Amino acid sequence: MTINTLAEEGLRREQMACFRKMEKVIVAMQDPDMGMKMRNQRLLITVIPHAMTGQDIITWLIQKYHIYEEEALHLGEMLVRYGYIYPLKEPRCLVLRPDESPYRFQTPYFWTSTRWPASELDYAIYLAKKNIRKQGELMEYEKERYSLLHKRINHTWDFVVMQAREQLRASKQRRKADRIVLECQEQAYWLINRPPPGVQNMLDWGLERPNNLSARIPLNSDYYKSEIETSRRALGRNRVKSSVCLEGAPVPTRLRVERWSFSFMELLTDAMGRREFMTYLEKEFSAENLHFWQACEEIKHGESSKIVEKVEDVYKNFLAPGAARWVNIDSKTMDKTLEGIKRPHRFVLDDAQMHIYFLMKKDSYPRYLKSDLYKNMLAKAVVPQETKKSVFPFMRRQRHSSPSPAQASAQAAEEDGRAGTNSAAGSQL
Amino acid sequence: MGKEECKTMLDALNKVTACYRHLVIALGSTSDSQNLREELKKTRKKAQELAVANRTKLTTLLKDKTISKEDRAEYERLWVLFSSSMELLEVDMKRSLEIGQDFPLKVPTRHLIQTGMTGNTNAVAARAMSVQNMKYEADSNIDTADLRDLQSEITQVSQMMEEMEMKVQVAPWAVVAKQEAGAELKSNMSVGNSSVGVISICEEEPKDDEGGGGREGGSTSIGAVLVFFVILTVALVLGYLVVNM
């Protein structure tokens, strides 16, 4: 059986495949020649047609589909449990008895459907109708649900009462036999769609099942006020994350890339350089060193209030035995650091950080400079145009220093401004 | 006064919605017929007329900025009633399209579901249309012809509801209903009588409820018998007096 997700209201839902198949079986049973044999149901003074016994159903299924009795019983069970056929003698007991117990077909409007799930409003109207008919003698669980619904959809309760009365008045226009059938149909429908407590819900969607009615929150003004507040806060949050990509030109200049080879500190202080180095380390599976170094930097330069929790994180991620990104520090430094962590302060990880720094400098850094990654970076790097030395001094253009990101974008903005685009954008830059 | 007019129109819409639902329940069953399809069509059109009238009236009332706070609260309550009615109507219209398509009438062998309902729905439709008797004048292919109209009407109704939500600033959850829980029991409707006298074969409640129900049923019938005898006695006495005067 395929499980369909219950989409939000308004979206088109599909009928579950198993329901469509069951509907076909039911329609086949209506065939005037090959269909089910119908009997009459005799009540005291009324006779209602179109009843069948459990045995009839099973016999028909066996003959039509050439199956064994066991399978026919199972198929018939499903038809009853999903509400296409309902029992007349014991309406709350949705089983198929292979004997003389009477059953009847359900009208298409009340067929189980994933496309048209039963709504709260309809259930409220049904309970109100039942309340009127039985002069308040609802069952315990129905009374509970009635009061829950009264709280939950209170704003439309007047409509519920009005509609319940009108629907009863409309059904009074039918003859008695039809009225009885109508009541039985509706009851069968709601026994399936809102089963009594303790009965398994046939429309249970497993993980996607709707919450227990009693645990639901009432849709009153307080609830909506809090929802509005949450949304407003969410909207107000600044979503622009300035990342390293935003700075400067995506293609670095040659000079910049060359600076990385001057010293390891140069590489680490340049954000782009650090990123490139990280990519390289990831290939070598030793990226945890750089991560550790960065985390230590954050602790050193970060907020005092967050030191304790950051140190805790670093310990969990990098220093604890069996940590995800365990860093290789010599035992003496490790012992000292672990002692220091018991009383964390801003510089407690300095020794470890230094150790890792030198490790990277001696080991990974030289290899990086010799790597293809770095060499490609050099090749891609842009050499800014040297200004032409003009013959006539007074025609000499100003020599531009290697364009820094700020100036480059300012120039671009000026050009844009001249081209007539939004001057506000230019002034922003 | 605007309020009374509104309430009357809303009551009418409510009545038509209930009747329409009743008719859609009969679709696809042995109660289905060409007549039923025509009744559905007429009821639906009436519902739409009422819907448009209601909407116009309520929007004018709600747009008026000079009304008092109580009046506004009342109109908002009426608005919620109106939109709930429209919700039901829209769903029922969509369902009637689906079921109408699945159960065509002009086929060599009809496969209508034998639900046990065999009577006709004339009286229900007459109630919806507020007429004494329904007149049937449609062609015999109404079941297919009407479906096309139905589709466009459904689109119209959906559009109207969207517009309603966009243009009218009413917070449905802020409305407080006038009726409290159990209000329907206080009505002077004698609906109990529809089930009394009929053995409720589909109402098999478990044992503890049955005792209560049985007792109540017994006392009601004893009361009825007593009343009957009292009336008989009074009639006899009056008759005797008349004869002797």
Side-chain angles (χ1 to χ4, degrees):
Chain A
M1 201 158 75
T2 51
I3 309 277
N4 245 339
T5 47
L6 264 181
E8 292 296 313
E9 272 201 359
L11 293 183
R12 195 182 153 82
R13 286 172 275 228
E14 281 306 314
Q15 180 75 319
M16 265 167 81
C18 61
F19 292 151
R20 271 186 262 130
K21 291 178 191 166
M22 284 195 264
E23 284 166 21
K24 288 208 184 94
V25 173
I26 295 288
V27 169
M29 284 181 171
Q30 311 303 321
D31 193 288
D33 311 310
M34 303 288 293
M36 285 284 297
K37 192 173 54 141
M38 294 276 120
R39 300 158 195 263
N40 285 336
Q41 180 197 21
R42 275 175 203 288
L43 305 171
L44 262 200
I45 19 172
T46 353
V47 174
I48 309 181
H50 306 150
M52 52 213 170
T53 64
Q55 191 56 48
D56 287 342
I57 298 174
I58 297 186
T59 322
W60 185 88
L61 285 169
I62 293 176
Q63 280 175 351
K64 168 93 179 171
Y65 295 110
H66 309 295
I67 49 181
Y68 288 113
E69 179 161 352
E70 223 180 308
E71 199 179 342
L73 195 59
H74 178 70
L75 187 54
E77 274 279 328
M78 293 210 19
L79 288 174
V80 172
R81 266 192 286 143
Y82 284 98
Y84 292 95
I85 296 177
Y86 59 93
L88 300 174
K89 270 270 153 58
E90 280 169 51
R92 292 177 189 275
C93 190
L94 294 169
V95 290
L96 179 66
R97 289 187 220 279
D99 53 20
E100 300 299 307
S101 335
Y103 293 86
R104 188 171 279 139
F105 290 115
Q106 179 68 282
T107 186
Y109 187 84
F110 285 139
W111 280 350
T112 308
S113 177
T114 38
R115 270 188 90 193
W116 308 105
S119 76
E120 308 247 285
L121 192 56
D122 289 332
Y123 191 45
I125 296 175
Y126 166 67
L127 286 178
K129 279 202 284 190
K130 197 164 180 188
N131 212 10
I132 299 178
R133 269 192 292 117
K134 306 200 95 190
Q135 309 283 316
E137 293 295 315
L138 293 175
M139 302 196 68
E140 270 316 305
Y141 75 92
E142 283 174 343
K143 284 190 185 146
E144 269 173 57
R145 290 184 187 170
Y146 180 90
S147 36
L148 269 168
L149 279 169
H150 176 71
K151 262 185 262 162
R152 185 163 158 75
I153 52 170
N154 184 272
H155 59 279
T156 174
W157 200 257
D158 292 342
F159 176 71
V160 168
V161 173
M162 275 168 66
Q163 183 68 200
R165 289 186 181 144
E166 275 304 322
Q167 285 189 12
L168 281 173
R169 286 187 192 124
S171 60
K172 272 174 90 176
Q173 307 295 323
R174 310 281 310 258
R175 46 177 228 200
K176 199 181 288 179
D178 290 345
R179 250 184 281 148
I180 300 175
V181 172
L182 204 54
E183 275 176 32
C184 293
Q185 279 177 356
E186 246 196 310
Q187 184 188 37
Y189 175 73
W190 288 111
L191 276 174
I192 304 226
N193 284 277
R194 294 282 189 271
V199 175
Q200 190 200 9
N201 186 355
M202 289 322 297
L203 301 173
D204 201 335
W205 305 113
L207 288 173
E208 286 140 3
R209 83 173 73 98
N211 287 326
N212 188 2
L213 258 184
S214 55
R216 281 217 208 129
I217 30 175
L219 291 178
N220 56 13
S221 60
D222 289 325
Y223 168 69
Y224 282 111
K225 276 193 192 124
S226 61
E227 286 286 299
I228 292 173
E229 198 46 52
T230 321
S231 305
R232 198 182 296 137
R233 263 185 276 131
L235 279 173
R237 240 181 274 142
N238 184 14
R239 278 183 163 69
V240 176
K241 290 179 169 51
S242 56
S243 85
V244 182
C245 308
L246 278 181
E247 55 112 342
V251 180
T253 61
R254 195 183 178 95
L255 216 57
R256 188 173 174 192
V257 179
E258 277 172 1
R259 263 168 72 184
W260 298 349
S261 61
F262 296 165
S263 86
F264 186 46
M265 193 44 92
E266 286 286 333
L267 176 66
L268 285 182
T269 41
D270 183 2
M272 191 186 278
R274 206 179 333 161
R275 256 185 304 138
E276 287 299 310
F277 189 50
M278 182 70 88
T279 321
Y280 174 74
L281 285 179
E282 270 163 12
K283 287 213 181 101
E284 300 232 313
F285 303 105
S286 47
E288 69 272 6
N289 291 335
L290 189 53
H291 280 131
F292 178 72
W293 185 87
Q294 277 179 190
C296 294
E297 281 293 287
E298 274 178 31
I299 294 178
K300 268 205 304 202
H301 303 296
E303 282 183 31
S304 309
S305 53
K306 299 229 172 80
I307 285 177
V308 178
E309 79 178 32
K310 280 187 186 169
V311 169
E312 197 51 30
D313 277 356
V314 164
Y315 172 75
K316 255 196 299 198
N317 287 332
F318 299 103
L319 299 172
R325 300 172 176 180
W326 192 76
V327 287
N328 196 358
I329 308 178
D330 67 298
S331 50
K332 208 168 73 169
T333 320
M334 181 66 97
D335 287 349
K336 196 159 161 227
T337 313
L338 289 177
E339 266 303 306
I341 282 180
K342 290 185 189 143
R343 263 182 290 261
H345 58 88
R346 197 175 283 274
F347 305 103
V348 68
L349 293 168
D350 257 11
D351 288 352
Q353 188 189 15
M354 192 70 65
H355 181 95
I356 292 292
Y357 175 83
F358 282 121
L359 192 69
M360 286 195 288
K361 181 175 173 176
K362 268 195 297 201
D363 190 20
S364 317
Y365 176 63
R367 276 187 283 128
Y368 169 68
L369 291 179
K370 292 193 199 117
S371 71
D372 287 347
L373 206 66
Y374 180 74
K375 291 195 179 137
N376 287 342
M377 205 72 197
L378 268 181
K380 266 197 307 178
V382 160
V383 180
Q385 250 191 351
E386 289 270 330
T387 49
K388 300 193 192 74
K389 286 202 191 108
S390 180
V391 173
F392 304 98
F394 54 90
M395 289 285 280
R396 194 184 300 171
R397 293 210 199 112
Q398 280 289 5
R399 260 196 89 170
H400 295 283
S401 55
S402 84
S404 75
Q407 282 187 10
S409 47
Q411 277 177 6
E414 274 174 41
E415 279 164 21
D416 278 352
R418 265 181 265 133
T421 49
N422 194 0
S423 59
S427 60
Q428 263 181 10
L429 287 168
Chain B
M1 199 171 60
K3 242 187 267 180
E4 290 312 310
E5 227 183 286
C6 253
K7 281 204 194 124
T8 334
M9 289 209 298
L10 266 175
D11 283 339
L13 179 63
N14 187 42
K15 182 174 74 169
V16 174
T17 310
C19 293
Y20 189 69
R21 169 160 288 200
H22 194 98
L23 294 173
V24 179
I25 289 177
L27 251 188
S29 71
T30 33
S31 280
D32 201 352
S33 63
Q34 301 281 18
N35 284 351
L36 176 67
R37 305 289 172 115
E38 196 179 337
E39 286 163 13
L40 277 166
K41 176 173 173 171
K42 291 193 166 145
T43 317
R44 198 177 70 225
K45 296 232 189 281
K46 176 104 193 230
Q48 278 185 294
E49 281 169 37
L50 282 169
V52 171
N54 265 302
R55 185 201 59 177
T56 329
K57 184 87 193 159
L58 274 171
T59 31
T60 5
L61 284 171
L62 282 169
K63 281 211 176 111
D64 188 2
K65 304 270 187 211
T66 62
I67 50 176
S68 67
K69 239 176 105 178
E70 296 93 44
D71 276 351
R72 182 155 183 108
E74 177 63 14
Y75 293 143
E76 288 189 359
R77 188 186 75 92
L78 294 178
W79 180 261
V80 169
L81 291 180
F82 174 55
S83 48
S84 311
S85 217
M86 290 311 296
E87 255 181 66
L88 285 195
L89 211 57
E90 194 192 359
V91 168
D92 283 342
M93 278 168 72
K94 289 183 178 161
R95 295 212 67 181
S96 76
L97 178 65
E98 196 187 308
I99 302 176
Q101 282 170 337
D102 288 338
F103 292 95
L105 295 175
K106 285 214 84 179
V107 286
T109 35
R110 290 185 182 181
H111 283 114
L112 298 173
I113 308 293
Q114 295 162 84
T115 55
M117 296 235 268
T118 45
N120 56 30
T121 43
N122 301 355
V124 179
R127 185 182 166 80
M129 307 295 293
S130 308
V131 293
Q132 276 292 88
N133 292 309
M134 288 290 289
K135 289 200 202 64
Y136 297 100
E137 53 223 2
D139 315 323
S140 57
N141 64 342
I142 184 170
D143 53 334
T144 36
D146 188 35
L147 290 176
R148 268 173 271 129
D149 288 342
L150 180 51
Q151 264 172 336
S152 58
E153 282 175 36
I154 290 176
T155 334
Q156 275 177 17
V157 168
S158 309
Q159 274 175 350
M160 182 166 93
M161 287 186 67
E162 264 184 55
E163 265 182 49
M164 273 163 54
E165 274 186 47
M166 290 294 150
K167 293 201 177 148
V168 178
Q169 306 293 332
V170 173
W173 56 85
V175 169
V176 178
K178 273 191 177 164
Q179 315 266 25
E180 66 276 1
E184 59 271 13
L185 293 171
K186 303 199 189 102
S187 85
N188 48 9
M189 273 185 74
S190 55
V191 263
N193 296 342
S194 67
S195 304
V196 169
V198 172
I199 309 296
S200 29
I201 38 95
C202 56
E203 307 281 3
E204 250 204 41
E205 316 288 2
K207 296 289 180 217
D208 42 349
D209 278 298
E210 218 172 89
R215 253 183 277 125
E216 217 179 79
S219 61
T220 328
S221 55
I222 289 172
V225 169
L226 278 172
V227 167
F228 172 69
F229 277 115
V230 165
I231 293 176
L232 196 60
T233 326
V234 169
L236 283 172
V237 167
L238 283 173
Y240 176 72
L241 287 171
V242 163
V243 161
N244 282 356
M245 286 308 210

